[in-house]
């Protein structure tokens, strides 16, 4: 059998390669640095599958490959293409199914807020560096924003950061980069969600807000599917996309 490798387009922050063996396609993921482990990502995939989400299965994981100087993980391929590459004639059913899976992703608990810690190659649970949501938001909004956003939007972001939530926020797993480029379909049927390289501990509307920014037309269908698994609060629309 011939084993082949080629760079994959997906995986903006994580090096990803397509691995073909005897006609079967898999994906080889390398950690961003020698210090950052893919162990937490492997744990996340296992948890997501147990919650019924359609995500790649981990075929193999090496905490540290001395030749590559990286943590290495091999996963199955989700069939089909991303919606960015091949949008169905009517994408509503695919988006509704993806919304249901997003709700399942958000059922996975995380100890803390922020991007998931990657310093443990064999974590028992997913953890993140900030003790509460306020600390995570303060960290995000304390970074220099000049040059990235116009002054009016910066003022709005700072005001939103000060809004107190109605109820205590519990950390849950967020995809971290959820948009239509990571939703896959085949023959106009939903097949799954890929690329968990930006996973974090957050509140549920974190992913929904990201989608509202990058693919607003998809949001109503995603919300419909989401609500079929986890009902959304009356305040969710304000948290997802606050009015200007």
């Amino acid at each position: 059998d011939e084993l082949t490798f080629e760079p994959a387009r997906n995986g903006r922050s994580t090096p990803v390669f397509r691995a073909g063996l005897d006609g079967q396609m898999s994906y080889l993921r390398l950690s961003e640095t020698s210090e950052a482990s893919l162990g937490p990502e492997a744990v996340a995939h296992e948890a997501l599958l147990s919650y019924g989400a359609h995500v790649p299965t981990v075929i193999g994981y090496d905490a540290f490959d001395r030749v590559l100087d990286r943590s290495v993980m091999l996963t199955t391929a989700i069939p089909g293409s991303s919606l960015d590459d091949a949008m169905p004639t009517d994408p509503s059913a695919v988006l509704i199914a993806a919304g249901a899976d997003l709700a399942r992703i958000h059922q996975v608990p995380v100890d803390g807020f922020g991007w998931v810690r990657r310093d443990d190659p064999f974590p028992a649970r997913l953890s993140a560096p900030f003790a509460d949501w306020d600390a995570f938001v303060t960290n995000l909004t304390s970074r220099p924003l000049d040059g990235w956003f116009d002054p009016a939007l910066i003022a709005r972001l700072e005001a939103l950061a000060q809004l107190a939530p109605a109820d205590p926020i519990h950390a849950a797993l967020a995809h971290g980069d959820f948009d239509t480029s990571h939703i896959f379909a085949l023959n106009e049927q939903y097949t799954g969600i890929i690329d968990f390289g930006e996973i974090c501990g957050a509140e549920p509307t974190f992913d929904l807000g990201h989608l509202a920014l990058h693919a607003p037309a998809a949001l109503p269908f995603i919300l419909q599917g989401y609500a079929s698994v986890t009902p959304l609060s009356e305040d969710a629309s304000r948290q997802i996309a606050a009015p200007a």
Side-chain angles (χ1 to χ4, degrees):
D1 295 332
E2 182 180 0
L3 179 63
T4 61
F5 290 94
E6 62 178 4
R9 287 178 55 194
N10 293 300
R12 298 186 183 94
S13 59
T14 305
V16 183
F17 299 86
R18 292 187 184 91
L21 178 61
D22 196 25
Q24 186 70 35
M25 187 64 67
S26 303
Y27 281 86
L28 182 71
R29 299 175 64 84
L30 307 182
S31 60
E32 293 183 47
T33 67
S34 57
E35 293 79 20
S37 173
L38 289 176
E41 208 169 313
V43 169
H45 277 258
E46 183 178 356
L48 290 168
L49 289 167
S50 72
Y51 277 79
H54 297 76
V55 301
T57 299
V58 176
I59 301 171
Y61 164 66
D62 188 343
F64 187 78
D65 184 280
R66 295 187 180 277
V67 175
L68 297 173
D69 193 36
R70 292 288 189 276
S71 179
V72 181
M73 183 171 70
L74 185 68
T75 73
T76 59
I78 294 294
S81 303
S82 80
L83 297 192
D84 277 10
D85 291 332
M87 183 66 72
T89 305
D90 179 3
S92 58
V94 172
L95 292 170
I96 290 169
D101 261 356
L102 183 62
R104 297 182 183 101
I105 292 170
H106 293 166
Q107 291 175 340
V108 178
V110 177
D111 293 337
F113 293 86
W115 274 266
V116 166
R117 295 176 62 99
R118 294 179 178 269
D119 52 352
D120 185 349
F122 298 103
R125 287 173 58 85
L126 298 173
S127 62
F130 297 99
D132 54 48
W133 177 247
D134 287 347
F136 180 37
V137 172
T138 299
N139 174 263
L140 288 176
T141 56
S142 65
R143 301 175 185 182
L145 299 176
D146 295 337
W148 292 90
F149 303 104
D150 63 64
L153 184 54
I154 291 174
R156 185 178 167 211
L157 290 171
E158 291 174 342
L160 289 173
Q162 301 304 314
L163 291 177
D167 300 304
I169 296 175
H170 301 285
L173 184 65
H175 181 279
D177 192 24
F178 184 70
D179 57 33
T180 50
S181 71
H182 297 127
I183 300 172
F184 269 51
L186 177 65
N187 299 325
E188 305 206 350
Q189 300 293 314
Y190 172 72
T191 52
I193 295 173
I194 69 160
D195 192 357
F196 292 86
E198 300 292 335
I199 51 175
C200 59
E203 49 85 31
T205 55
F206 185 92
D207 278 334
L208 294 169
H210 186 277
L211 180 72
L213 180 64
H214 292 278
L219 184 62
F221 302 107
I222 292 291
L223 291 176
Q224 182 179 339
Y226 194 101
S228 70
V229 175
T230 303
L232 290 161
S233 69
E234 296 180 359
D235 197 38
S237 60
R238 180 180 68 87
Q239 296 173 6
I240 293 167

